[in-house]
């Protein structure tokens, strides 16, 4: 079967290699020409490319099952297996930058027999008698029996062929900066497989450990918080990094040095869109959507590439099962995503909405079900809750698994218990630091002028 995959991100590249190894001829089309050999890669159309990523164990499992040489290539490029905190040797994923991940995966696709990578902009999907027949690229047709749209949430190529997306802006914005650990420097503290995260009333701070002794520092805030928007300036970001102990431990000049400027993040979305059109049918036999084209979530929990490769593995399996009956494959894939991917979208929508409400100064709302982050926090006070939280936190169990401890968590909060605030500045204190730092920077710029 001839297949065209629109988008050369993790979903598209992984799916292309897997399909080619099953005897299909695959063309992958992306407007980005790929890395030019330098260390920096200005990936077109992927805002989050240089922001923090964590590749969960499901991603490692997908690579090891289908293309173990890619896993070995990532390790050779400096990526390192992650373990659960306090459990050395318990696999949890991969410490790796997105740029490293895509470089290695793309290199594998470029040398894979049966895969052709092509640079260009896909103008439209071609249909004949209700079937996908290829795509138009720069006025020329690329023929195919199967078209997979892995072009991401914001792609407009197939928008008219599907029902509207659910969800929207999650109300959170963030900035990040990459650092390089100095030779011989010891790591800072960790409390998560990817590094460390601390949540304050009004903002969140995190460190993501990557490959080659590189790390990313991230600070997230409500997108309506205009005072903390100044964190995008270097002076304000550095002041915040010094003030938050968990960040200061990693960014101390004696331990690491900055690699990049402060990188502002774009608007963050939680979105979900199935395979069907407004009439509830498959628009074109042989047109299938995968990856971010189906689901995106706030990246703070590191679920994006995981949900995408989970989809890719399932889609590959269904294509083998259904053969040329691609409409049945689309329907089966849509049903599977509704059961296994959509719950992560719904979880984040509820979590983010309640987090923004609490960041505005409101208390825990015991008249509604607790969001997942509050149930996870309650595990500090009840070991029985921790037993349920573990599988959920590692995405081995769906969000609904927390329903079993919802009542226990609510009982803890009903006593007046609240998650202890970590050491560091409260939101208003951080805002004062940021404002002062940004003001000093502005004054210095005026003096220099």
């Amino acid at each position: 079967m001839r297949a065209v995959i629109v988008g050369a991100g993790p979903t598209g590249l992984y799916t292309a290699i897997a399909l080619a190894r099953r005897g299909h001829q695959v063309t992958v089309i992306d407007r980005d020409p790929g890395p030019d050999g330098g260390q920096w890669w200005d990936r077109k159309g992927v805002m989050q490319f240089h922001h923090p990523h964590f590749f969960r164990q499901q991603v490692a499992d997908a690579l090891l099952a289908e293309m173990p040489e890619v896993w070995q290539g990532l390790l050779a490029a400096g990526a390192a297996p992650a373990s659960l905190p306090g459990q050395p040797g318990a696999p949890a994923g991969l410490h790796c930058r997105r740029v490293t991940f895509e470089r290695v995966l793309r290199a594998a696709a470029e040398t894979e027999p049966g895969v052709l990578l092509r640079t260009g902009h896909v103008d439209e999907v071609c249909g004949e008698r209700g079937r996908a027949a290829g795509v138009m690229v720069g006025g020329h047709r690329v023929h195919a029996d199967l078209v997979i749209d892995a072009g991401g949430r914001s792609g407009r190529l197939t928008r008219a062929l599907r029902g509207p997306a659910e969800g929207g802006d999650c109300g959170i914005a963030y900035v990040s900066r990459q650092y390089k650990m100095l030779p011989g420097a010891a790591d800072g503290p960790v409390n998560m497989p990817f590094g460390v995260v601390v949540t304050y009333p009004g903002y969140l701070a995190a460190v993501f450990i990557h490959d080659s002794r590189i790390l990313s520092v991230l600070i997230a805030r409500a997108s309506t918080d205009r005072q903390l928007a100044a964190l995008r300036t270097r002076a304000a970001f550095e002041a915040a990094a010094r003030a938050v102990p968990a960040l200061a431990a990693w960014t101390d000049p004696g331990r690491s040095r900055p690699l990049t400027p402060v990188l502002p993040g774009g608007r963050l979305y939680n979105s979900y869109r199935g395979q069907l059109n407004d009439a509830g049918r498959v628009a074109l036999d042989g047109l299938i959507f995968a990856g971010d084209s189906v689901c995106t979530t706030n990246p703070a929990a590191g679920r994006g590439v995981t949900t995408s490769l989970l989809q890719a593995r399932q889609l590959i399996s269904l294509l083998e099962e259904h053969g040329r009956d691609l409409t049945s494959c689309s329907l089966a894939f849509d049903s599977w995503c509704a059961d296994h991917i959509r719950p992560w979208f719904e979880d984040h929508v509820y979590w983010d909405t309640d987090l923004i409400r609490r960041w505005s100064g409101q208390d825990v709302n015991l008249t509604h079900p607790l969001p997942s982050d509050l149930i996870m926090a309650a595990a500090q006070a009840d070991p029985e809750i921790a037993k349920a939280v573990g599988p959920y936190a590692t995405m081995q169990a769906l969000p609904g698994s927390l329903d079993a401890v919802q009542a226990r968590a609510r009982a803890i909060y009903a006593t007046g218990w609240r998650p202890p605030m970590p050491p560091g500045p409260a939101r208003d204190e951080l805002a004062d630091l940021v404002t002062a730092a940004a003001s000093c920077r502005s004054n210095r710029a005026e003096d220099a002028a």
Side-chain angles (χ1 to χ4, degrees):
M1 183 162 57
R2 297 170 300 175
V4 164
I5 298 177
V6 181
T11 307
L13 294 172
Y14 181 92
T15 304
I17 295 172
L19 289 179
R21 292 183 178 184
R22 287 160 173 78
H24 304 289
Q25 294 296 312
V26 186
T27 300
V28 182
I29 305 171
D30 196 295
R31 59 177 173 163
D32 188 282
D36 60 6
Q39 289 299 308
W40 189 260
W41 178 6
D42 189 16
R43 183 79 160 84
K44 292 181 180 178
V46 186
M47 176 280 298
Q48 70 274 23
F49 194 63
H50 292 289
H51 286 290
H53 280 74
F54 178 65
F55 299 91
R56 290 173 174 270
Q57 187 58 35
Q58 289 86 345
V59 175
D61 293 341
L63 294 176
L64 289 168
E66 192 69 45
M67 47 200 78
E69 75 281 4
V70 173
W71 173 263
Q72 294 301 324
L74 289 166
L75 299 183
S83 299
L84 295 174
Q87 301 180 53
L94 187 71
H95 295 301
C96 189
R97 287 171 294 165
R98 173 76 174 264
V99 63
T100 303
F101 189 88
E102 284 204 25
R103 277 182 190 274
V104 173
L105 189 56
R106 187 182 181 103
E110 288 173 340
T111 59
E112 181 68 32
V115 175
L116 172 65
L117 268 65
R118 179 169 174 175
T119 303
H121 184 272
V122 179
D123 302 309
E124 63 176 313
V125 176
C126 303
E128 295 179 355
R129 297 185 295 277
R131 292 184 60 87
V135 297
M136 295 296 294
V137 183
H140 300 280
R141 182 165 169 175
V142 180
H143 294 273
D145 309 297
L146 168 67
V147 176
I148 297 175
D149 182 355
R153 176 194 62 81
S154 60
R156 298 181 179 181
L157 173 66
T158 55
R159 186 169 295 178
L161 299 175
R162 306 168 72 187
E166 300 177 63
D169 189 333
C170 70
I172 297 173
Y174 71 98
V175 292
S176 72
R177 193 181 194 188
Q178 291 182 9
Y179 293 76
K180 173 80 172 180
M181 298 294 287
L182 298 177
D187 288 349
V190 300
N191 62 6
M192 299 289 285
F194 61 77
V196 61
V197 61
V198 285
T199 302
Y200 298 87
Y203 70 101
L204 174 152
V207 173
F208 288 72
I209 303 169
H210 298 315
D211 58 279
S212 307
R213 300 279 284 164
I214 293 171
L215 59 99
S216 285
V217 172
L218 174 145
I219 304 176
R221 59 175 175 86
S223 54
T224 55
D225 191 333
R226 306 316 304 166
Q227 281 185 291
L228 292 187
L231 284 164
R232 68 184 61 193
T233 67
R234 188 186 71 180
F237 189 90
E238 290 178 347
R242 289 192 298 269
V244 177
L247 304 187
W250 286 91
T251 61
D252 185 285
R255 179 170 278 174
S256 66
R257 61 179 177 85
L259 274 187
T260 68
V262 179
L263 306 173
R267 297 176 69 184
L268 302 179
Y269 287 83
N270 294 312
S271 63
Y272 185 83
R273 204 173 192 185
Q275 303 292 316
L276 309 182
N277 61 16
D278 288 332
R281 296 191 295 268
V282 173
L284 284 176
D285 180 43
L287 173 61
I288 299 178
F289 311 93
D292 284 357
S293 293
V294 171
C295 181
T296 62
T297 56
N298 172 359
R303 294 172 175 170
V305 178
T306 299
T307 56
S308 289
L309 290 200
L310 287 173
Q311 290 180 58
R313 295 189 74 180
Q314 182 65 17
L315 176 57
I316 292 160
S317 175
L318 289 172
L319 285 168
E320 286 192 291
E321 177 185 341
H322 290 269
R324 291 277 178 170
D325 188 353
L326 297 177
T327 293
S328 293
C329 180
S330 292
L331 292 171
F333 186 53
D334 189 60
S335 177
W336 182 88
C337 286
D339 290 339
H340 296 89
I341 301 299
R342 184 186 175 94
W344 297 109
F345 155 74
E346 294 174 337
D347 183 55
H348 249 305
V349 169
Y350 194 65
W351 174 347
D352 292 344
T353 300
D354 196 72
L355 180 62
I356 294 298
R357 184 189 63 80
R358 284 178 276 130
W359 275 1
S360 72
Q362 299 182 55
D363 194 14
V364 174
N365 185 352
L366 291 175
T367 66
H368 291 81
L370 296 174
S372 300
D373 66 315
L374 287 179
I375 296 176
M376 288 192 291
Q380 302 173 62
D382 186 344
E384 289 300 314
I385 294 176
K387 294 178 182 178
V389 162
Y392 159 81
T394 57
M395 294 183 68
Q396 301 295 330
L398 289 169
S401 63
L402 295 183
D403 291 347
V405 292
Q406 173 76 223
R408 293 183 73 98
R410 288 169 62 83
I412 289 172
Y413 286 101
T415 68
W417 181 90
R418 296 294 181 268
M421 178 174 158
R427 182 268 164 201
D428 290 348
E429 295 171 316
L430 182 66
D432 290 342
L433 285 171
V434 164
T435 300
S439 176
C440 288
R441 178 179 179 274
S442 176
N443 291 337
R444 285 197 299 271
E446 290 179 4
D447 291 341

